[in-house]
């Protein structure tokens, strides 16, 4: 890829996006309003890029990939000639509205403006913009240099051409874009993730299982199948005659169980009890090291899946 990419917000996700596009060959400008965030990013980027190279997930020398990422404190310089601007500032509607107004005014008219927002809809932060036809959500999953899904969620006024252009850029960078046909808060992944978390909170609150055992249900159960199949393909293979057969066998029970499932308030006392069990398992001082352990486990999984895919070809 020869496109120039602008990354606005050099935090956890912005830095990860910079790796995605630099790995694909793009010249990347990485901007942050906080000088400390910019000062830290070279070290943090090299750590992640070095780990990826260690797993064979980057074929170039880490320094060559890092050289394509230019941190800059100047927003206008960041946006100059960018084909795609990927926004990653804090998750508030006010912050999104403010930064998109700046980006719309400063970027080239044909640049795609995409937000990494986890929950907000593009129509909430782009309505009044002159260039709103090129604004959308491009929601990644942490970390996007390992988990390729990108949820492309256009506003009603986003042009089809802009959506197709964004889809192509994400694909060329090695991502796996999906398209939201209609806007909805939280898009697809966080709503599904939220449904799972909601039931886990309710089961914990009801005293049915510990935090550790509820985590095992995904780690040693559902997550294994879901690491290479989705929920519909999974159930399609769980009954002799496929999904319809599965629905006939188990649909009524899922329906009855669903009737008993309630939203969870995520109240402070419940979350504090869950956090206490997590802190007993992992002191807060070890969170960063454990996140790096997570990334390395994901790298090994992704490397293995790529080897299997190559062997299958
Ligand atoms: N953390 C995660 O797992 C994921 C986060 N996201 C979304 O990505 C966005 C960023 O999240 P994180 O990277 O986790 O946050 P973060 O707090 O690590 O990084 C945000 C960065 O934006 C900078 N910033 C804030 N306002 C700015 C401005 N006006 N101009 C330039 N820089 C500014 C901050 O200095 C900070 O470095 C949020 O919308 C979040 O919902 C999406 C997927 C996953
Ligand atoms: O889990 C993820 O990586 C993404 O779905 C996110 O947007 C955030 O981390 C999310 O969980 C917080 O809302």
């Amino acid at each position: 890829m020869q496109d120039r990419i602008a990354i606005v917000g050099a935090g956890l996700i912005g830095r990860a996006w910079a790796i995605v596009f630099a790995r694909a060959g793009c010249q990347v400008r990485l901007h942050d309003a906080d000088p400390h965030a910019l000062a830290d990013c070279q070290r943090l980027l090299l750590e992640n890029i070095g780990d990826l190279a260690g797993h064979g997930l980057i074929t170039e020398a880490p320094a060559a990939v890092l050289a394509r990422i230019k941190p800059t404190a100047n927003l206008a310089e960041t946006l100059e000639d960018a084909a795609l601007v990927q926004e990653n500032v804090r998750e508030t509607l006010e912050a999104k509205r403010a930064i998109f107004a700046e980006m719309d005014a400063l970027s080239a008219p044909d640049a795609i403006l995409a937000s990494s927002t986890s929950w907000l809809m593009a129509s909430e932060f782009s309505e009044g913009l002159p260039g709103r036809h090129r604004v959308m959500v491009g929601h990644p999953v942490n970390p996007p240099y390992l988990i390729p899904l990108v949820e492309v969620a256009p506003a009603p006024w986003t042009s089809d051409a802009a959506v197709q252009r964004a889809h192509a850029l994400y694909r060329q960078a090695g991502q796996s874009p999906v398209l939201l046909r209609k806007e909805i808060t939280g898009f697809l992944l966080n709503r599904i993730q939220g449904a799972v978390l909601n039931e886990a909170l309710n089961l914990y609150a009801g005293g049915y299982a510990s935090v550790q055992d509820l985590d095992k249900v995904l780690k040693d159960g559902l997550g294994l199948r879901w690491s290479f199949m989705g929920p519909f393909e999974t159930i399609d293979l769980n009954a002799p005659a496929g999904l319809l057969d599965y629905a006939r066998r188990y649909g009524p029970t899922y329906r009855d169980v669903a009737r008993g499932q309630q939203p969870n308030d995520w109240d402070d006392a419940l979350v504090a009890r869950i956090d206490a069990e997590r802190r007993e398992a992992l002191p807060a001082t070890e969170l960063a090291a454990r996140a790096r352990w997570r990334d390395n486990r994901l790298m090994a999984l992704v490397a293995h899946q790529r080897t299997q895919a190559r062997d299958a070809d």
Side-chain angles (χ1 to χ4, degrees):
M1 281 179 83
Q2 298 303 309
D3 307 275
R4 174 170 286 184
I5 305 293
I7 305 288
V8 177
L12 184 71
I13 287 302
R15 292 194 305 270
W17 270 124
I19 293 172
V20 167
F21 288 105
R23 175 178 64 183
C26 298
Q27 294 300 320
V28 177
R29 298 257 173 96
L30 177 59
H31 167 73
D32 203 288
D34 177 353
H36 299 296
L38 281 183
D40 283 349
C41 64
Q42 295 274 13
R43 171 181 62 82
L44 295 167
L45 285 166
L46 197 54
E47 187 177 274
N48 292 142
I49 295 169
D51 286 346
L52 286 165
H55 287 272
L57 294 174
I58 279 189
T59 52
E60 289 181 274
V65 177
L66 185 65
R68 288 197 281 269
I69 301 172
K70 181 183 176 189
T72 167
N74 183 301
L75 182 59
E77 180 190 338
T78 303
L79 302 177
E80 194 176 347
D81 300 331
L84 168 71
V85 182
Q86 189 73 33
E87 170 276 317
N88 314 274
V89 304
R90 59 185 169 280
E91 183 77 351
T92 69
L93 189 51
E94 295 68 29
K96 300 303 187 190
R97 283 177 172 157
I99 196 67
F100 269 85
E102 286 188 83
M103 296 188 321
D104 187 40
L106 292 170
S107 59
D110 59 349
I112 302 295
L113 307 184
S115 175
S116 293
T117 176
S118 299
W119 297 94
L120 301 169
M121 295 184 287
S123 58
E124 294 179 277
F125 52 81
S126 66
E127 183 165 12
L129 300 181
R132 70 181 196 174
H133 61 279
R134 42 72 176 270
V135 176
M136 65 194 78
V137 171
H139 172 239
V141 187
N142 181 36
Y145 51 76
L146 285 173
I147 303 178
L149 182 76
V150 183
E151 295 179 299
V152 179
W157 42 77
T158 306
S159 71
D160 289 345
V163 172
Q164 295 314 317
R165 175 78 176 126
H167 197 279
L169 287 167
Y170 288 133
R171 288 285 305 159
Q172 288 160 26
Q175 302 307 97
S176 177
V178 296
L179 176 62
L180 274 288
R181 294 172 176 169
K182 290 195 293 186
E183 282 197 309
I184 187 167
T185 301
F187 328 123
L188 308 175
L189 183 137
N190 274 336
R191 294 183 74 89
I192 293 169
Q193 184 170 232
V196 172
L197 281 168
N198 185 76
E199 191 56 16
L201 283 158
N202 283 338
L203 290 168
Y204 179 81
Y208 295 98
S210 68
V211 167
Q212 186 181 30
D213 281 355
L214 283 161
D215 272 353
K216 276 186 179 178
V217 170
L218 271 291
K219 179 167 77 80
D220 297 334
L222 284 174
L224 290 175
R225 289 191 307 215
W226 286 356
S227 71
F228 58 91
M229 289 191 296
F232 293 129
E233 183 177 10
T234 296
I235 65 172
D236 195 27
L237 305 179
N238 273 8
L243 189 143
L244 203 56
D245 183 14
Y246 183 93
R248 286 197 184 109
R249 291 166 181 248
Y250 310 111
T253 306
Y254 275 115
R255 183 198 56 226
D256 294 345
V257 166
R259 285 203 176 111
Q261 288 172 325
Q262 301 298 323
N264 188 283
D265 292 335
W266 290 65
D267 70 80
D268 292 347
L270 173 66
V271 172
R273 284 171 54 208
I274 296 170
D275 185 64
E277 290 201 30
R278 277 303 306 153
R279 294 290 66 82
E280 195 175 319
L282 180 79
T285 52
E286 295 176 25
L287 281 168
R290 189 70 172 169
R292 193 166 179 198
W293 165 86
R294 171 207 60 199
D295 286 357
N296 276 273
R297 284 294 298 268
L298 277 169
M299 289 172 195
L301 178 63
V302 170
H304 175 68
Q305 288 181 332
R306 285 190 186 172
T307 304
Q308 280 208 307
R310 273 199 300 269
D311 294 351
D313 289 347

